[in-house]
């Protein structure tokens, strides 16, 4: 099962990497607008290595993506664009950033699937999930929206979801919501600004 998800990630990532210079127009499901104005805040969800909280990364910039591993278009594109931006940074700069992929499909996304899927795009990614209630709480904090949509596809159903990238500064404060399709060069500019604007605590 894990191998199937990894193969799917590779296929979708290949498509996504070819679309990094322009906005991908999803054909199979819809990107929802963000919910209420996001305020951000601390949270705790589960990773393959145990519970993870935003506050665990005090001193780092955290990048949050909401999605799911069977997403046919938006997620692989978004993660590939962000990975491309990371690769434009130095190794030292990359160490100051923690990317997190939060699944909005806990019914199908196991911790193993999330680990394999997210780390394919970049080895710094951490995949998180939790109970439906816990995921909804985090989504509400960051203004993310999603809904299950029944489908005749082999996947059984799709999950329409908003596609913003949320960035918090080194002290856990939500500072940026980056729109879907933003180029790696633009993402890199925002990341560098955050790295240089708030000194990392010792």
């Amino acid at each position: 099962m894990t191998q199937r998800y990894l193969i799917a990630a590779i296929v979708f990532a290949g498509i996504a990497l070819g679309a990094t210079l322009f906005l991908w127009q999803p054909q199979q499901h819809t990107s929802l607008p963000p919910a209420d104005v996001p305020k951000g805040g601390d949270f705790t969800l589960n990773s393959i290595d145990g519970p993870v909280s935003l506050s665990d990364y005090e001193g780092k910039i955290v990048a949050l993506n909401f999605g799911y591993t069977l997403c046919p278009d938006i997620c692989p594109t978004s993660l590939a664009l962000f990975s491309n931006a990371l690769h434009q940074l130095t190794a030292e700069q990359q160490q100051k950033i923690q990317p997190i992929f939060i699944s909005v499909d806990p019914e199908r996304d196991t911790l193993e699937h999330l680990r394999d899927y997210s780390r394919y795009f970049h080895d710094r990614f951490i995949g998180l999930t939790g109970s439906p209630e816990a995921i909804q709480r985090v989504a509400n904090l960051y203004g993310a929206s999603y809904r299950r949509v029944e489908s005749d596809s082999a996947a059984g159903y799709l999950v329409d979801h908003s596609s913003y990238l949320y960035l918090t500064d080194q002290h856990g404060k939500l500072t940026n919501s980056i729109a879907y399709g933003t180029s790696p060069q633009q993402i890199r500019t925002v990341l560098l600004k955050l790295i240089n604007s708030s000194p990392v605590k010792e």
Side-chain angles (χ1 to χ4, degrees), residues 172-191:
K173 179 181 178 181
L174 178 62
T175 60
N176 298 82
S177 297
I178 298 179
Y180 173 62
T182 299
S183 73
Q185 292 76 17
Q186 291 172 303
I187 296 173
R188 174 182 178 272
T189 296
V190 176
L191 292 174

Side-chain angles (χ1 to χ4, degrees), residues 2-100:
T2 297
Q3 184 178 8
R4 180 170 67 87
Y5 275 76
L6 185 56
I7 292 173
I10 294 171
V11 172
F12 289 134
I15 296 172
L17 285 171
T20 56
L21 297 180
F22 60 89
L23 177 61
W24 180 283
Q25 297 296 329
Q27 300 297 319
Q28 294 179 284
H29 72 92
T30 304
S31 173
L32 295 176
D36 296 335
V37 176
K39 299 177 177 62
D42 198 12
F43 61 84
T44 300
L45 292 171
N46 298 320
S47 77
I48 189 70
D49 297 314
V52 169
S53 299
L54 178 68
S55 55
D56 294 339
Y57 301 107
E58 176 77 12
K60 292 184 183 293
I61 294 160
V62 175
L64 300 174
N65 276 103
F66 291 82
Y68 66 116
T69 64
L70 285 178
C71 179
D73 39 45
I74 292 173
C75 293
T77 301
S78 296
L79 297 181
L81 289 170
F82 187 76
S83 176
N84 190 314
L86 281 181
H87 284 299
Q88 294 181 30
L89 301 175
T90 67
E92 181 180 1
Q93 290 168 337
Q94 290 184 40
Q95 290 297 317
K96 297 178 180 179
I97 300 169
Q98 180 56 64
I100 293 177

